[in-house]
Amino acid sequence: MTSKNNRKLVFVYNADSGLFNTVTDIAHKIISPKTYSCNLCALTHGYFSIRDTWVKFLQQLDVECEFLHRDELLRKYDIQNPELPVIYENINGGLKVWIEKEKIEQFDSVEELMKFINMKLSFAA
């Protein structure tokens, strides 16, 4: 996704990358969804894949998006002990919290998340 306005959002999941971690996360979502630690993942992904609604939403955004797991965030941006999940705004190569963990945890559906993102983007335009 190429942004027309040079903004970039960085979505960070409260999970680590890699096949083993992915399989473990799937099992956790199926067996004990109430205790799953990443509401961003729970909202945007089903058990096995990304939600179509989310994909279509991302395609229509006028902002570049990057998606990272917590271990990737540490390697790429060297952010220690972040409150996850989180959505950052990348400003001149530095990250600033854009939607904090507490807010992400309040959403009950991907539609609520998408509405909130659109609202924040429209206020910042």
Side-chain angles (χ1 to χ4, degrees):
M1 279 171 256
T2 304
S3 172
K4 296 176 187 166
N5 60 19
N6 296 324
R7 296 183 74 182
K8 182 177 183 180
L9 299 179
V10 180
F11 296 76
V12 185
Y13 299 106
N14 189 21
D16 287 322
S17 61
L19 181 59
F20 175 78
N21 293 312
T22 300
V23 171
T24 303
D25 285 347
I26 290 169
H28 192 163
K29 279 197 256 183
I30 291 170
I31 295 167
S32 185
K34 297 275 189 220
T35 64
Y36 188 65
S37 63
C38 185
N39 200 40
L40 182 59
C41 182
L43 294 169
T44 61
H45 290 70
Y47 293 128
F48 302 107
S49 65
I50 192 166
R51 296 184 194 283
D52 290 339
T53 305
W54 181 242
V55 171
K56 290 175 187 167
F57 171 76
L58 295 172
Q59 290 170 342
Q60 61 84 32
L61 283 181
D62 185 30
V63 63
E64 184 180 349
C65 297
E66 178 179 16
F67 298 89
L68 299 172
H69 296 89
R70 87 180 133 226
D71 59 316
E72 297 165 327
L73 176 71
L74 179 62
R75 283 194 304 268
K76 185 166 184 177
Y77 293 101
D78 196 30
I79 295 178
Q80 303 287 325
N81 303 312
E83 292 284 320
L84 298 175
V86 67
I87 302 170
Y88 291 106
E89 183 174 24
N90 186 323
I91 302 170
N92 298 322
L95 299 185
K96 174 184 166 202
V97 173
W98 195 67
I99 302 177
E100 66 279 350
K101 172 187 176 178
E102 292 77 19
K103 187 67 180 174
I104 293 171
E105 289 177 348
Q106 292 175 1
F107 299 125
D108 292 321
S109 69
V110 71
E111 289 78 16
E112 287 180 14
L113 173 63
M114 295 183 306
K115 183 178 179 181
F116 190 76
I117 289 170
N118 274 332
M119 180 198 64
K120 283 195 60 99
L121 287 171
S122 67
F123 281 127

